[in-house]
């Protein structure tokens, strides 16, 4: 997607001042791209979660796990947890994408000059992604807890409303947010991989081509979205690898596994029991899922922003080696 750029060339230091309407457009675009992509990936997520926490699935591959779900629960079993997935990521996606645009702009302003901003762009990417994800996860955590309970305990509830109500009634706010720390440990590395790797993939492409090629790309939607697709796939792989151990622990926490005590203690014990291999159980299908998620989100986010007439975001790529 087209961005407002800050480069190391000599010109006045200008940071775009986005309005509330602009941020509303960023939020809507992020909400739609996240809920559509995560909703579409529900069948993959169901199988991945079962492999992580269900002993009957421990030795199964993604394909055999999918067949087992269909054989025992019917095709509808692959859509378990669709409601909380769609609603949760509607809220989380809007807050994350709009928040990333907001915090990246604020951190560039704090930098004070274009040279400093470009030199410290990695720190800005990491900070903006982390802070945006933190606030987005406050919205996501209760719905993610509901989703995991629906997927891991067959017959727990009929859907989002009844599942959320039962979890809130039986466990209260503490149970709804029991997974907040592990979800932060999962989602912040995920966001870092998603946004930071995507930024650097775009930077690598544009630093390696001529000005003539850049002009062609700016005029060709096909070329622009092809770059977005490739960058998104690579960013998706990075996001999956960085966040998978915490994703495994989150599934265990929401299933009720592990000892009593503080959350850090429970996470430490569960991680020790799982071991390296256990923490990365189900990584293959999750990499497939995450590559599809991240790449499709960036494609949709750019397209929806364009359709809404939203301004370009702020880009701080280094344009020369």
């Amino acid at each position: 997607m087209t961005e407002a750029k800050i480069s190391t060339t000599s010109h006045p230091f200008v940071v775009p001042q986005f309005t509330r309407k602009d941020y509303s457009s960023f939020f809507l675009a992020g909400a739609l791209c996240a809920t559509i992509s995560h909703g579409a990936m529900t069948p993959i997520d169901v199988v991945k979660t079962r492999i992580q926490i269900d002993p009957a699935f421990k030795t199964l591959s993604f394909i055999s796990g999918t067949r087992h779900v269909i054989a025992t629960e019917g095709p509808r079993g692959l859509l378990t947890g669709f409601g909380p997935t769609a609603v949760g990521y509607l809220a989380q996606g809007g807050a994350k994408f709009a928040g990333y645009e907001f915090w990246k702009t604020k951190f560039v302003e704090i930098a004070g000059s274009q040279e400093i901003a470009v030199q410290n762009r990695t720190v800005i990417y990491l900070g903006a992604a982390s802070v945006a994800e933190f606030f987005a996860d406050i919205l996501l955590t209760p719905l993610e807890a509901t989703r995991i309970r629906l997927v891991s305990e067959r017959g727990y509830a009929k859907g989002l409303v009844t599942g959320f109500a039962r979890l809130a009634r039986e466990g209260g706010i503490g149970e709804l947010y029991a997974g907040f720390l592990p979800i932060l440990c999962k989602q912040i590395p995920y966001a870092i991989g998603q946004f930071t790797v995507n930024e650097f993939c775009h930077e690598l492409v544009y630093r390696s081509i001529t000005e003539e090629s850049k002009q062609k790309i700016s005029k060709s939607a096909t070329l622009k979205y092809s770059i977005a697709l490739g960058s998104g796939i690579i960013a998706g792989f990075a996001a999956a690898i960085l966040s998978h151990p915490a994703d495994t622990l989150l599934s265990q926490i929401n299933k009720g596994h592990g000892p009593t005590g503080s959350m850090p203690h429970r996470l430490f014990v569960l991680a020790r029991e799982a071991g390296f291999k256990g923490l990365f159980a189900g990584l293959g299908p999750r990499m497939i899922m995450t590559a599809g998620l991240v790449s499709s989100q960036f494609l949709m986010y750019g397209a929806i922003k364009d359709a809404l007439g939203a301004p370009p975001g702020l880009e701080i790529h280094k344009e020369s080696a």
Side-chain angles (χ1 to χ4, degrees), residues 178-179 182 248-257 263 266-267 270:
T248 300
L249 295 178
L250 175 64
S251 295
Q252 298 285 353
I253 290 292
N254 282 296
K255 178 69 173 178
H257 292 175
M263 185 57 66
R266 294 177 67 190
L267 291 172
L270 286 171

Side-chain angles (χ1 to χ4, degrees), residues 23-45:
Y23 283 115
S24 296
S25 297
F26 298 155
F27 186 97
L28 179 58
L32 291 176
C33 76
T35 195
I36 291 170
S37 58
H38 279 279
M41 292 293 177
T42 298
I44 296 176
D45 205 34

Side-chain angles (χ1 to χ4, degrees), residues 3-321:
E3 304 285 345
K5 294 186 178 180
I6 289 180
S7 69
T8 54
T9 55
S10 179
H11 55 72
F13 180 59
V14 178
V15 178
Q17 299 299 308
F18 297 124
T19 64
R20 290 184 180 179
K21 183 185 178 201
D22 296 334
Y23 283 115
S24 296
S25 297
F26 298 155
F27 186 97
L28 179 58
L32 291 176
C33 76
T35 195
I36 291 170
S37 58
H38 279 279
M41 292 293 177
T42 298
I44 296 176
D45 205 34
V46 168
V47 177
K48 181 268 300 180
T49 302
R50 295 280 172 81
I51 290 172
Q52 288 175 319
I53 64 177
D54 192 333
F57 284 75
K58 288 293 185 183
T59 60
L60 300 181
S61 66
F62 173 71
I63 294 176
S64 59
T66 301
R67 290 173 178 168
H68 187 69
V69 171
I70 294 174
T72 56
E73 304 171 46
R76 289 186 64 182
L78 293 173
L79 294 178
T80 304
F82 175 80
T85 295
V87 175
Y89 283 97
L90 183 75
Q92 185 260 7
K96 178 169 73 172
F97 277 87
Y100 182 71
E101 302 275 17
F102 174 82
W103 289 107
K104 185 166 63 167
T105 301
K106 290 302 177 186
F107 290 151
V108 168
E109 290 177 346
I110 291 171
S113 74
Q114 60 190 31
E115 291 80 12
I116 294 175
V118 172
Q119 289 169 8
N120 295 280
R121 62 195 183 284
T122 302
V123 175
I124 292 173
Y125 298 151
L126 295 176
S130 300
V131 177
E133 188 62 58
F134 176 85
F135 289 107
D137 288 345
I138 294 174
L139 303 176
L140 174 65
T141 299
L143 291 156
E144 181 71 357
T146 304
R147 179 196 71 79
I148 292 177
R149 191 62 64 93
L150 290 173
V151 172
S152 61
E153 292 186 24
R154 278 156 275 183
Y156 180 79
K158 292 184 178 180
L160 166 61
V161 176
T162 54
F164 185 90
R166 179 180 173 182
L167 193 61
R169 182 178 66 252
E170 295 179 354
I173 193 74
E175 190 67 22
L176 289 172
Y177 278 92
F180 186 58
L181 178 59
I183 209 171
L184 286 178
C185 294
K186 166 195 169 184
Q187 290 296 127
I188 288 178
Y190 184 104
I192 285 171
Q194 177 180 10
F195 288 111
T196 304
V197 174
N198 180 68
E199 296 271 17
F200 279 111
C201 285
H202 276 83
E203 178 176 326
L204 182 62
V205 170
Y206 283 97
R207 284 172 59 182
S208 62
I209 61 178
T210 64
E211 285 298 325
E212 183 180 354
S213 297
K214 292 178 185 178
Q215 292 298 321
K216 288 182 180 179
I217 291 171
S218 66
K219 297 176 183 178
S220 171
T222 301
L223 291 175
K224 183 171 64 174
Y225 286 119
S226 295
I227 293 171
L229 177 62
S231 299
I233 290 172
I234 295 171
F237 286 148
I241 294 169
L242 289 172
S243 63
H244 195 74
D247 183 66
T248 300
L249 295 178
L250 175 64
S251 295
Q252 298 285 353
I253 290 292
N254 282 296
K255 178 69 173 178
H257 292 175
T260 57
S262 67
M263 185 57 66
H265 173 68
R266 294 177 67 190
L267 291 172
F268 176 78
V269 172
L270 286 171
R272 185 179 59 191
E273 290 176 350
F276 183 84
K277 184 176 181 180
L279 288 174
F280 284 94
L283 178 60
R286 188 158 182 267
M287 286 182 69
I288 296 170
M289 179 184 73
T290 306
L293 281 172
V294 172
S295 58
S296 64
Q297 283 177 10
F298 281 125
L299 289 173
M300 287 188 284
Y301 183 66
I304 295 170
K305 279 178 62 180
D306 290 343
L308 293 172
L314 175 61
E315 194 173 87
I316 49 176
H317 294 170
K318 187 176 181 180
E319 296 183 347
S320 60

